[in-house]
Each structure stands twice: as structure tokens, then as C-alpha cells.
Amino acid sequence: MDQRIRRTAAPTAIAAALLLVLAGCGSGVHGRPGASGLHDPYFPRLGNGGYDVSHYGLELDYDRDTGRIKGTATITARATQNLSAFNLDFAGMTVAGATVDGDYAPANRAGTELTLRPHHDIDRGHTFRTVVRYSGTPRTITDPDSSEEGWLPNAHGALALGEPTGSMAWFPGNNHPSDKATYDITITVPDGLQAVSNGRLTSRRTSGGRTAFHWHSAEPMASYLAMVAIGPYRTHSYKAPSGLPVFTAVEPADEKESAAVLARVPEIIAWESKEFGAYPFASTGAVVGPADSAGYSLETQTKPVLPANQFDLPTLVHELSHQWFGDSVTPKSWQDMWLNEGFATYAEWLWDADHGGESVRDHFNDAYDRQANWAFPPAKPPSPKEISASPVYGHGAMVLQRIRDTVGDRAFFALVRGWVHDHRYGTVSTQDFTRYAEKKTGANLTALWDAWLYGKDRPVRP
């Protein structure tokens, strides 16, 4: 080749290559891995960064003889950064394979972190779909306070509960309350068993001695509120006088004893709607689980779960009030638990006062006299072990009564209804509430926050 031609051609080739590189810089993705935790004050490794989940499609096939499940999780999410890899929270079981947008994605395990590397980097703002196939015997997880959650086997089936960390025992996800999503949960079980979950039952299909129950939750839900109850439940589906669909499930042995209280679900929802504003979900109900299923009740969305040996009217009132406080309006972090439990405890006080029991002031005085309520400020539990301790409940409810004392009944109940209306389906912090309360009521509540919400010493009884 002529040397002159080579000298003139070289710059042209270099220029063309440079243009390709520049074009690539404009259209390609130079992603980085999403964070493997959201730095929650008490559970820093929970949750993951780099994406926001909009929907979970979960399919579970339950084997009664072995207690094992086969699962498929289809997770729809939007990237909040350019992603080269991302994590899901997942404890135990065996991952058979994963895809991202239909392409194979290598999956690596490290403790409860499942890391996926998509075939192509994911652009910020892109909505992508991840499918994870898995199987095994789900774990029971022991919390810092020694309670158990996750997958809880019992004599007739199993119960899946998730507060605060347990959902990762039965499905992979972004397991932090700050990332809420809609859900479709399908559970296939042997004939003779029922499978109950959140939302509304949209289909029930039987084939070959097995039945698939498909539950749909149209409103956003935090992962810790997702629930599955498998067993020989007696179920009842009907409409409340308001037209709201109601679904209840109870173990056969406990059906008669629990019937009178369970029948009051519509009445409780109607009363709480009057106090707190419109009910936030498309259905309601309750599950009365076997006494050996869990050592506590839980406000799982649309259908609280209450063990038979803890099932009573005050507890049902408490758990149903969580549909507003905790389920619709959800804490941004586990440090904000008093926004759930303080309000739910206060709902119990209000119900009792409205139904011929103790006055709210009497409840306040009882809580004030309980030494356990002063172990720490409700907005500052000292460790994960205390996020469900007495101050979060009783002391948290006292904070609300002190606001009511300060601003008056009319302003207080306008504050409560405004809070749940303006933050419906969202996530909130204690700082959000204190700012909102002052703006809504027009009162300077700084001294109240300092003494009752954050103070370490017991204030003088008002």
C-alpha cells in the first residue's frame, strides 16, 4: 500500500473510532452496583439501593408432607441509578436460577444478600423485571427480642409473618418498609387446605388434587406486612354494610369461641373510619391462627393475624387500626415504630372510652404510672431489641394525648385525619410527623417534643 495513502487514511480511521467512542459515551451505561443495605438505624443491612420495586408477583407451591416450597418471584422495579448489579434480601433456600429482562443473570449468595448481575447494565429510570426461581424449607427467623417470624410451621400447615425482617425467609425482595409495592401472591396447596394472603381473592383453581389461591393487593404494601396462612381454615367471605369486602379465616377448633368477636370486624372498621378517615384498602378481614403459630398478633395488611390464644376485642381493635397507622402510612425506618404502635394503642383507648369502658384520661394515667413505659423515649429505642417494647406503645400513646391536651379536640382529630389522608400509601418519619403536627395545628410543640417524645426523664403529670 502506498505510504502516502496510509498516512492520510490513518487520521480518518482514528477520527471514526473516536466518534464511535463518543457516541458510546452518550448512549451506553456505565453502571455501578446498588448498595447492599439502606443503613436503617437498627437493621443497616436490610433493604437495597439502586432501585425501587413497584410490584411483586409471587408463586408458591407448598408440600404438606415435607414442609418445602417451590417459589418463583417476579419483581418489577425501576432503577434509581445506572446499575451494573443489585441485591435482594433473601435468607435460606436454594436459588435455581434468575433472569433480568429475560436474560440469564448470575446470582451469588453472601449471608442474606442475593446479588444479581444483569447481562446488560440497567439505565437509570428503566423499569426492569427480575425473575428468581427457588426452593427449599423456609427458615424461621429469631428477632433480637427473641420472638420468631419468617416461616412458622404449625401442626396443620404454616404461617408466614415478616415484622421486622422475616419476609426474606420466603421470598427475595427489597426488605425494608421504605420500599412499598403492589403484590400478587399465588399459593398452591393440597386439597383440604386453605391458603390465605393479603388483599382480595381473585381466583381459586383446583387441578390434580391441588388448589391454587390467587390474592391481589392493589394498594402499596411494605414487605414486612406480606402474609401467608396455610391450614384447614374455615373461611367466611361477605360484604360489610358499607359494601367493603370482608374475608375471615379461623382454625376449626377455634371457630365457635372466636365467632362473636370476629363478627365485629365491620363494626370496628366503621368506627375507625369515623375516627381516622376513609378506610385505605379495597378489602378487610382477619385471620385467627392456631395458638402454636406465633407468640404475638400482627397487623398484616388487610387481614391482621391473631393467634387463637390472644384473640380478643381490644387486640382486634388495635391491629385493625394499624391499617391506617403502619400499613397505609408506613414508617421510613424501624426507628419510627412509635408512629405505628402509639397510634394503635391510642385507638384502643378511644374505643374503650366510646364503648363504656375507661376514659382516655384514665388510660393515660395508667400508662403514666407504668414504670416500663419510661425505660427510654418512644422515638429513640436504644437497640433493635426494644423497637416493640412498652415505651413505643404506651409512652407513644401518651405523646398523642399530650398533643390533644395542648391543641384541643377539634384540632387534634383534624390532625389525625389529615395525617393519614395526606400521607396515604406513603412512608413517614418522626420528623415528618412533628413538622406536620405543628403546621396543621398552628401550635409550637417544641417543648412537648422535648419533654414527651425525646426526653429521658418522666415529666410532671399534667
Side-chain angles (χ1 to χ4, degrees):
M1 181 179 289
D2 186 279
Q3 187 65 34
R4 180 178 57 83
I5 296 175
R6 289 178 61 195
R7 285 198 299 267
T8 57
T12 303
I14 293 171
L18 181 60
L19 286 173
L20 288 172
V21 170
L22 291 173
C25 288
S27 62
V29 177
H30 298 278
R32 67 184 191 278
S36 61
L38 293 181
H39 306 293
D40 184 275
Y42 301 117
F43 302 95
R45 297 301 301 274
L46 279 189
N48 303 284
Y51 64 93
D52 178 63
V53 179
S54 59
H55 185 72
Y56 290 94
L58 306 177
E59 299 178 24
L60 306 177
D61 193 299
Y62 172 73
D63 187 317
R64 174 168 45 189
D65 295 332
T66 64
R68 293 170 58 87
I69 65 170
K70 291 181 181 178
T72 300
T74 302
I75 304 165
T76 304
R78 181 182 60 85
T80 58
Q81 66 176 62
N82 294 335
L83 281 173
S84 61
F86 61 93
N87 281 25
L88 299 169
D89 300 303
F90 195 38
M93 290 194 280
T94 299
V95 173
T99 62
V100 176
D101 284 341
D103 292 324
Y104 167 76
N108 299 311
R109 304 291 296 267
T112 60
E113 296 292 334
L114 176 65
T115 302
L116 301 182
R117 298 190 177 277
H119 185 68
H120 300 287
D121 285 4
I122 302 170
D123 289 292
R124 178 181 178 182
H126 174 67
T127 296
F128 61 100
R129 189 177 74 165
T130 302
V131 178
V132 180
R133 294 178 293 107
Y134 56 96
S135 63
T137 303
R139 289 183 182 178
T140 297
I141 292 175
T142 301
D143 288 338
D145 66 0
S146 299
S147 61
E148 292 185 335
E149 54 171 303
W151 193 264
L152 304 172
N154 57 62
H156 301 117
L159 180 64
L161 299 175
E163 184 178 319
T165 69
S167 294
M168 63 183 175
W170 57 283
F171 69 93
N174 199 16
N175 191 25
H176 192 267
S178 61
D179 191 1
K180 301 171 73 170
T182 57
Y183 282 72
D184 282 280
I185 301 177
T186 302
I187 313 107
T188 301
V189 296
D191 285 350
L193 296 181
Q194 303 284 329
V196 183
S197 191
N198 313 86
R200 298 190 67 178
L201 181 63
T202 60
S203 69
R204 174 176 174 166
R205 302 183 305 274
T206 298
S207 177
R210 299 181 66 78
T211 302
F213 297 82
H214 180 193
W215 296 88
H216 175 66
S217 295
E219 300 88 7
M221 179 167 68
S223 59
Y224 80 90
L225 297 169
M227 171 273 293
V228 167
I230 298 171
Y233 290 98
R234 299 285 175 82
T235 63
H236 190 199
S237 180
Y238 62 98
K239 287 191 176 180
S242 64
L244 181 70
V246 181
F247 187 99
T248 61
V250 59
E251 281 275 315
D254 304 304
E255 184 177 21
K256 183 177 180 180
E257 187 174 353
S258 62
V261 172
L262 203 57
R264 300 186 73 174
V265 167
E267 175 192 354
I268 297 168
I269 291 294
W271 178 85
E272 291 179 338
S273 297
K274 177 175 172 289
E275 295 293 316
F276 311 135
Y279 180 71
F281 302 115
S283 65
T284 191
V287 176
V288 182
D292 64 348
S293 59
Y296 52 88
S297 299
L298 194 63
E299 63 269 24
T300 44
Q301 192 159 303
T302 70
K303 296 179 192 67
V305 172
L306 304 92
N309 58 349
Q310 297 185 15
F311 185 69
D312 56 29
L313 183 59
T315 306
L316 185 59
V317 170
H318 180 106
E319 301 304 341
L320 286 173
S321 74
H322 274 305
Q323 305 307 303
W324 286 262
F325 307 107
D327 295 10
S328 176
V329 183
T330 303
K332 285 181 181 176
S333 84
W334 289 109
Q335 188 170 18
D336 304 306
M337 274 283 283
W338 84 275
L339 291 171
N340 294 13
E341 302 302 349
F343 271 106
T345 302
Y346 198 73
E348 287 187 70
W349 296 2
L350 292 172
W351 170 275
D352 198 30
D354 275 5
H355 293 80
E358 287 189 13
S359 68
V360 172
R361 176 58 60 185
D362 287 340
H363 279 290
F364 176 93
N365 287 331
D366 290 343
Y368 184 91
D369 291 336
R370 284 194 64 201
Q371 185 62 37
N373 284 330
W374 301 99
F376 56 84
K380 289 188 175 180
S383 76
K385 185 178 179 180
E386 286 86 16
I387 63 170
S388 293
S390 293
V392 175
Y393 292 70
H395 193 158
M398 282 190 281
V399 172
L400 299 175
Q401 179 60 27
R402 291 299 295 124
I403 299 172
R404 184 178 176 182
D405 290 339
T406 302
V407 305
D409 285 5
R410 183 174 181 178
F412 174 76
F413 285 102
L415 162 64
V416 172
R417 295 186 190 101
W419 174 247
V420 295
H421 176 273
D422 293 347
H423 297 88
R424 175 176 284 206
Y425 309 137
T427 58
V428 293
S429 67
T430 297
Q431 291 71 32
D432 292 331
F433 179 74
T434 56
R435 287 193 295 264
Y436 185 89
E438 293 193 342
K439 181 178 179 180
K440 188 75 174 178
T441 64
N444 184 341
L445 302 173
T446 302
L448 189 154
W449 307 137
D450 290 345
W452 290 86
L453 185 58
Y454 294 109
K456 295 181 179 180
D457 299 322
R458 189 185 318 210
V460 175
R461 187 193 303 266

